[in-house]
Each structure stands twice: as structure tokens, then as C-alpha cells.
């Protein structure tokens, strides 16, 4: 039988990565990438341009049978009736909607939000950004005809939709589609009933909603209803290209290409890693996440753990911080060293950095919900105020914040039998060693790879063949080296 190729896309905050793989084995055939602009508010056109460039860099899609796009979650992509973006998309790390989030929690109460959406609103979630738009930019809010997420919008464009002068199929908003993992990060979709909550959407934007291709979910005859993407099953295609679609960068998506439902980035990583019940991953990107897979409903009235859907129909309890590898970049810049140099310095200081603690809220924080917080360096003495101790405090502060996230996930009843450490910072020897100390358990380090894009490719293979393939992921294990005093001193300072 001839080889079938599938593609997975990771459209993240910083860049777009494309991986093309053998559908049966998962073997990487070729890859490509392109960068995204910095900022917390971005014109989605940059993502579309980067997608085309990354596809071209990967050798094109001429021989690819199916593709799925995973993307950064929560970003608000507001479209008008002509399919044009109303304003720059507010990304997950844009905290201007913090006051809107607090208002929404006060209006409904934490317990009600958790019961209806599996989460408590914070500035990251799409619904809070819609409330901000309604209050801060009413003229733009009035123009909104549809609301999508980054991966929804990119999939829509890839399938040939968009403004009439930019796309072959034009602004058909009823063609918008998404998946459960991304919809569950909006704060107006229920991952238990797997349907939108029209009342919560109206509380955010002040208007009713209509599911793409379906009836208005608010009052009958509501001509002002806003279109939201239909939610596609994990193994269902969004659609199949009926004709060629020209992409930025000179590539072409050929007629017959199957487009899968895609995923939110963390669900994509879970699928790429092959996580199952009992597995929990700590991801060290610009932001940090702790997430696992469970077949049972997850509720956390405190809002620390969000009960998202995963990419298979199960649940993905998750904790997210705004500060992870960013911490190493900031302190590395201060010390004029790269990540490796920072790690070498950190290993020269003892566990606990002789009492020096960095609480790393450099851009505020999402978990705990402190959007206006700043970072703090505590325990400075003549003996601890040197490069090695500061490097050690940076690594420990980043990981201790995520250890609190792991404890919160366990607190919801999720069992942790295997802990995985992924992301660019997980390649650092100091980070690996300190992780085994801070988490106090064996830490499994999968081989370096683009696991979000891999998960999207695995989903594409599922949609194409009708069965979810098993792709092997090799890993090394760093043995547990418990140093509970490190986390204890961090918690004592962070609680202040």
C-alpha cells in the first residue's frame, strides 16, 4: 500500500510550525516553520501569512491527504458580515479584560460558572474579551457578526473562506467550525453537555448567538445573533477542499485535501504525547501549563483548574501560568547568558538557593489570578546576591509555580502515575534536575519534538483513516530527588 501523508500545524503565540508525517507510523517526512509578531494583540492576517510560509517551507501540501490545525487558545477573532476581522485579535496573554472577568464572576458566582462551563473566568478566556469589547469598543462590538478562535479562523481560511476579494468561497460564516477542546476555553461552552451556553454568551457580548449552520440559540427571529463555530467531533472532518486554494508564500492546498477539526494547543500536545488517564504533562513554553487526561468530570470551584475537553472526547484538566520559559529569558538577559548558560550557573548554587526566592510574576499571573502582579526577589543577602544564586532562584521559581499547579490538578481527584516535562525549557539540564527535586517524583522527558503539531497530525490521520493511530514516543526518566524545602520556602514567600 502506498504511503499516506498527513500534516499537523501548531499556530502558537510565537510561530507557526508544520509537520508532515506518515499516517501509519508517525515518522516525520519534512517540516517547516515561520515566525509570528510579538504582542498580546495581533492582526490574524499575520497568522495566515505565516501558515502559508510554513507550508511552503515544509515542501508544500501537494502529496498530503489530510491536515489539522492546532492553535493557541482563547484568542478573540471577531469577524464582520463580510468575513473581515473587526479588530486585532486579543490573545490569551492580554490581560486588559481582567476587570471584565471579575465583573462576570461577581454577576454569576464561581460555583455557577464551574457548573456551566468547567471554569471560572479570568482575563485569558474569550468570553471576558468579548465583555471588554462590548464595554470599551461598542462600535466594534456592534460590527461583530461572528466570533472564532485562532485555529477556527485559520481552518476556515485554509478551506477557502474569507473576505470575497481574498478567498475563492467568500465570507460564508456558516462554514465556521471548531472542536471541543478549543470551544471549552471560551467560557461560553459546556464540556459536559458539549454545547454552547447562549445566556453566558449574551452576558459577554450583549447579543444572542447562532451556531454556524444551525438555528439561533437565543430568541427566535433574533436577526442580531452572532455566529459561533459549530463543534465538530474529534474524528470528523471540518470539510474537504472542493477546489485548489492559493496560500500566502506561494504554496497551494489542493482539491481533495481533508481538513480535520483541529485542537487547542494543550489538547494537541496531549494527543501528540499519547497521554492517557494517569498521565500529567508540565509544559514549559513562554507560558506554563499542567494538564492531564481523565475520563471523569473535573470540577474546581476555586477556578484554579479548568475542566477543558481534550481532543478525543475525554476531559483535560489544566492549570495555566503566564510565566514559564519567559522567566529564564528575563533572568538570562539580565545575566547576559542563554538558557544553557543560565542552567550551568544554576547548578553551581545549592537547592533552595540559600533562601533566595524569585516569585516570577513578570507579566502578572493567571494562576493564581493576579493580573496586576509583578515579580519579586526575596531573601537577598551578600551571600545570595550573585549570578549563580539568581540563576538557581529563576529555575526554582518557574518550577515551583507549576508544582502548585500540579498539586491543584491532583486536588481535583486526578491520579498522577506518570509526570512528563515538555517544551523548549525541558531540554535544559538544570531544569530537569530541579524538576525532580521540586516535584519530588520521577520526571519523564520525551524526546524533543513539536508535540502540538504532532497531535494535530495524529488527529488528521484519525480523520483520514477512521482509526486513531498509535505513534511511539521515546523518553528518558530523571529519578526523583525530593527537596521539599524548596517548594516550602517558595510558598511562604508567594503567599505574601
Amino acid at each position: 500500500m502506498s504511503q499516506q501523508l498527513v500534516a499537523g500545524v501548531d499556530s502558537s503565540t510565537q510561530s507557526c510550525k508544520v509537520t508532515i508525517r506518515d499516517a501509519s507510523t508517525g515518522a516525520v517526512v519534512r517540516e517547516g516553520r515561520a515566525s509570528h509578531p510579538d504582542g498580546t494583540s495581533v492582526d490574524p492576517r499575520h497568522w495566515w501569512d505565516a501558515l502559508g510560509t510554513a507550508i511552503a517551507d515544509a515542501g508544500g501540501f501537494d502529496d498530503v491527504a489530510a491536515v489539522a490545525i492546532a492553535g493557541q487558545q482563547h484568542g478573540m477573532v471577531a469577524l464582520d458580515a463580510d468575513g473581515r476581522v473587526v479588530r486585532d485579535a486579543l490573545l490569551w496573554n492580554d490581560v486588559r479584560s481582567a476587570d471584565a472577568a471579575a465583573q462576570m464572576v461577581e454577576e454569576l458566582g464561581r460555583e455557577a460558572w464551574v457548573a456551566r462551563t468547567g471554569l471560572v473566568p479570568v482575563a485569558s478566556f474569550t468570553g471576558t474579551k468579548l465583555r471588554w469589547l462590548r464595554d470599551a469598543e461598542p462600535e466594534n462590538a456592534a460590527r461583530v457578526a461572528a466570533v472564532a478562535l485562532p485555529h477556527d479562523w485559520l481552518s476556515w481560511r485554509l478551506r477557502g473562506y474569507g473576505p470575497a476579494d481574498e478567498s475563492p468561497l467568500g465570507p460564508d460564516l456558516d462554514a465556521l467550525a471548531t472542536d471541543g477542546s478549543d470551544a471549552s476555553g471560551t467560557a461560553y461552552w459546556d464540556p459536559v453537555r458539549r454545547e454552547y451556553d447562549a445566556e453566558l454568551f449574551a452576558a459577554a457580548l450583549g447579543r444572542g448567538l447562532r451556531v454556524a449552520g444551525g438555528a439561533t440559540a437565543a430568541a427566535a427571529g433574533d436577526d442580531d445573533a452572532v455566529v459561533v463555530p459549530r463543534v465538530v467531533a474529534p474524528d470528523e472532518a471540518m470539510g474537504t477542499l472542493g477546489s485548489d486554494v492559493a496560500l500566502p508564500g506561494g504554496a497551494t492546498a489542493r482539491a481533495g485535501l481533508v481538513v480535520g477539526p483541529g485542537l487547542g494547543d494543550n489538547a494537541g500536545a496531549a494527543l501528540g504525547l499519547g497521554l492517557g488517564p494517569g498521565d500529567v504533562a508540565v509544559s514549559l513554553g513562554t507560558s506554563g501549563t499542567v494538564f492531564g487526561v481523565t475520563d471523569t468530570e473535573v470540577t474546581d470551584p476555586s477556578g484554579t483548574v479548568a475542566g477543558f475537553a481534550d481532543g478525543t472526547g475525554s476531559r483535560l484538566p489544566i492549570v495555566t501560568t503566564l510565566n514559564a520559559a519567559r522567566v529564564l529569558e528575563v533572568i538570562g538577559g539580565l545575566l547576559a547568558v542563554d538558557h544553557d548558560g543560565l542552567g550551568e550557573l544554576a547548578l553551581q548554587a545549592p537547592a533552595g538557593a540559600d533562601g533566595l526566592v524569585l516569585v516570577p510574576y513578570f507579566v502578572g499571573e493567571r494562576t493564581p489570578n493576579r493580573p496586576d502582579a509583578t515579580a519579586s526577589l526575596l531573601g537577598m543577602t551578600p551571600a545570595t546576591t550573585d549570578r549563580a544564586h539568581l540563576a538557581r532562584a529563576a529555575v526554582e521559581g518557574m518550577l515551583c509555580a507549576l508544582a502548585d499547579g500540579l498539586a491543584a490538578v491532583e486536588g481535583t481527584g486526578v491520579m498522577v502515575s506518570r509526570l512528563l516535562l515538555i517544551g523548549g525549557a525541558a531540554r535544559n539540564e538544570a531544569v530537569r534536575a530541579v524538576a525532580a527535586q521540586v516535584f519530588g517524583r520521577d520526571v519523564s522527558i520525551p524526546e524533543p519534538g513539536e508535540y502540538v503539531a504532532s497531535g494535530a497530525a495524529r488527529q488528521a490521520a484519525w480523520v483520514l483513516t477512521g482509526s486513531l493511530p498509535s505513534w511511539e514516543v521515546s523518553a528518558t526518566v530523571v529519578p526523583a530527588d525530593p527537596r521539599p524545602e524548596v517548594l516550602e520556602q517558595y510558598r511562604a514567600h508567594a503567599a505574601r
Side-chain angles (χ1 to χ4, degrees), residues 60 93 118 176 212 220 230 274 294 305 321 425 430 467-468 484 487 489:
N93 54 354
L176 285 165
R230 69 183 178 94
T294 179
V305 180
T321 70
S467 61
L468 182 62
L487 186 54
Q489 72 175 10

Side-chain angles (χ1 to χ4, degrees), residues 32 125-126 282 351 388:
F125 298 135
T126 316
V282 176

Side-chain angles (χ1 to χ4, degrees), residues 80-402:
D80 66 16
D82 294 324
R84 299 189 185 281
V85 175
V86 170
R87 70 165 333 275
D88 285 358
L90 300 187
L91 307 190
W92 60 272
N93 54 354
D94 192 301
V95 298
R96 73 185 74 182
S97 59
D99 289 343
Q103 293 167 10
M104 294 167 74
V105 173
E106 183 177 356
E107 290 165 5
L108 192 62
R110 288 178 172 270
E111 292 77 10
W113 278 104
V114 171
R116 293 169 68 168
T117 65
L119 53 82
V120 175
V122 294
S124 296
F125 298 135
T126 316
T128 70
K129 300 177 190 305
L130 292 176
R131 171 67 73 89
W132 175 88
L133 183 70
R134 186 194 77 178
D135 295 342
E137 299 180 356
E139 292 184 0
N140 279 336
R143 292 177 54 205
V144 176
V147 177
L149 300 167
H151 111 261
D152 313 343
W153 183 80
L154 282 170
S155 300
W156 186 66
R157 294 301 311 268
L158 181 63
R159 289 162 56 212
Y161 300 100
D165 58 346
E166 299 178 15
S167 61
L169 299 179
D172 183 358
L173 301 180
D174 277 308
L176 285 165
T178 189
D179 87 304
S181 70
D182 222 359
S184 62
T186 60
Y188 47 82
W189 191 78
D190 183 349
V192 176
R193 294 181 295 130
R194 299 188 71 84
E195 61 184 44
Y196 288 102
D197 191 316
E199 182 181 351
L200 296 183
F201 184 87
L205 190 59
R207 294 160 60 190
L209 66 79
R210 179 174 66 80
V211 180
T216 302
D222 183 358
D223 295 332
D224 198 35
V226 175
V227 175
V228 293
R230 69 183 178 94
V231 178
V232 179
D235 59 348
E236 175 189 352
M238 275 188 181
T240 300
L241 270 62
S243 59
D244 292 355
V245 176
L247 305 176
T252 300
R254 300 295 181 189
L257 179 69
V258 176
V259 181
L263 315 95
D265 51 2
N266 292 294
L271 198 60
L273 290 164
L275 298 191
D279 294 332
V280 172
V282 176
S283 178
L284 302 175
T286 303
S287 64
T289 54
V290 181
F291 56 90
V293 173
T294 179
D295 294 328
T296 60
E297 183 178 344
V298 175
T299 57
D300 179 10
S302 75
T304 301
V305 180
F308 289 178
D310 79 337
T312 68
S314 294
R315 304 299 292 275
L316 190 85
I318 185 168
V319 172
T320 304
T321 70
L322 296 181
N323 301 276
R326 178 194 316 275
V327 179
L328 308 187
E329 290 161 6
V330 171
I331 300 302
L334 178 65
L335 299 177
V337 292
D338 59 13
H339 279 202
D340 289 340
L342 186 77
E344 292 172 4
L345 285 171
L347 292 176
Q348 295 172 20
D354 291 319
L356 188 67
V357 173
L358 175 67
V359 182
Y361 302 158
F362 284 101
V363 291
E365 191 47 85
R366 168 172 166 175
T367 307
N369 185 24
R370 297 174 182 168
D372 298 322
T374 56
S376 299
L377 186 64
L378 306 121
M380 297 176 71
T381 68
T384 62
T385 308
D386 61 22
R387 300 174 80 232
H389 282 82
L390 181 54
R392 182 83 186 200
V395 175
E396 290 180 345
M398 174 187 71
L399 290 169
C400 283
L402 289 161

